[in-house]
Every structure is written in structure tokens, then in C-alpha cells.
Amino acid sequence: MQQAIDEALQGIRTGDGGPFGSVVVKDGKVVGRGHNRVLGHADPTAHGEVEAIRAACRSLGTHDLTGCDIYTTGEPCHMCLCACLWANISHIYYGCTIADNALIGFRDLQFDSLFAGRDKLTDYLSEQDRQACLDLFHTYRHLPHQRY
């Protein structure tokens, strides 16, 4: 998770977007990393998880990430959750919750209530290192950044 946090910090420092960093791991080795680049790429789909999935696919030369796990600083939005499922990610480890995302101005709760169903994935999603990720969110909240 620390590598995901470091990735998020890099994105915050460069002004790419929110405090969301992700790493894809296979057999104990990071095979893809990414951070939120919504602002940096002017692309609303450039979330940390999607960026890390794209990098892992390039690194491994495949669209199928079976056997890979993803570590991400924030519980995935529905777009990212579905991207993980489409990529065959084996398990998602997240730091901050959807509710935590809302505390720093992101509207994940709005979409979560619209699409629902997350409760059916409790074996697929695991919270990990929440306090470290909350510290990251605190840092983000107190740095100058563009709200979107």
C-alpha cells in the first residue's frame, strides 16, 4: 500500500488530480502503477486504478490480469471497480472508504447509491492501511489543488 500512497503523492505534487494511487501486483512484484491523472490528461477516466491496470497490461503484454491484486489508496468508484473485474484482477485492497472520498470532495457516494451492489463483493474488496491513506487525504486537503 505504501507504493500506492507514494504514487498518489507524486500525482498530487504534479497537479495531475486527486490523492488516488494504485499498484498492480503479481507474484509479489509490482507490474503496474498509476495515479489519478484526470486533470493532467483532461480525461475523466484517468483514475489511478485504470492507469495502473493499463500499465500492468502493457508490462505483461496481456489484457488478462488473472493472478494480480491491486492496492489503491481509495475504495474504487464503480468505473474502477468494473475495470478491475473486466481485467480479472483477483483482489482489491483499498485504504480509504467511499465515505472518506466524500470528505475530501469526491462524489463517489452519489454514484455508489445509484449503482449499488458493492455489498455483493465483500470477498473481493478488503480495507487495508486506512489510517495511512487518511493521512494522505489530510495532506491533499491542505495543499492547494484544483477541485473537480
Side-chain angles (χ1 to χ4, degrees):
M1 186 63 78
Q2 186 58 53
Q3 289 188 49
I5 292 169
D6 293 343
E7 187 68 28
L9 285 168
Q10 177 186 342
I12 293 168
R13 288 185 186 115
T14 58
D16 282 338
F20 305 104
S22 302
V23 293
V24 176
V25 176
K26 183 169 185 158
D27 300 325
K29 179 182 174 198
V30 173
V31 294
R33 60 182 65 243
H35 60 263
N36 184 297
R37 288 187 167 98
V38 168
L39 298 175
H41 288 285
D43 177 355
T45 68
H47 291 195
E49 297 92 338
V50 172
E51 294 289 304
I53 288 168
R54 289 173 178 160
C57 289
R58 284 190 303 271
S59 172
L60 297 173
T62 182
H63 66 281
D64 184 356
L65 299 181
T66 297
C68 294
D69 295 326
I70 193 166
Y71 294 79
T72 185
T73 57
E75 187 174 357
C77 70
H78 275 275
M79 177 185 71
C80 293
L81 182 56
C82 289
C84 290
L85 291 165
W86 276 112
N88 296 315
I89 296 283
S90 297
H91 199 84
I92 298 170
Y93 297 93
Y94 65 90
C96 291
T97 66
I98 292 288
D100 295 330
N101 296 349
L103 296 174
I104 57 169
F106 289 88
R107 32 188 195 137
D108 302 60
L109 277 173
Q110 173 187 351
F111 294 110
D112 205 51
S113 64
L114 178 65
F115 296 112
R118 187 178 297 268
D119 58 319
K120 296 178 181 120
L121 298 170
T122 55
D123 291 340
Y124 188 60
L125 294 157
S126 298
E127 186 181 292
Q128 181 177 322
D129 296 332
R130 182 169 179 240
Q131 188 56 56
C133 292
L134 283 170
D135 293 345
L136 167 71
F137 278 26
H138 177 78
T139 298
Y140 173 76
R141 187 178 316 128
H142 292 92
L143 290 174
H145 60 273
Q146 180 180 343
R147 299 216 29 140
Y148 58 99

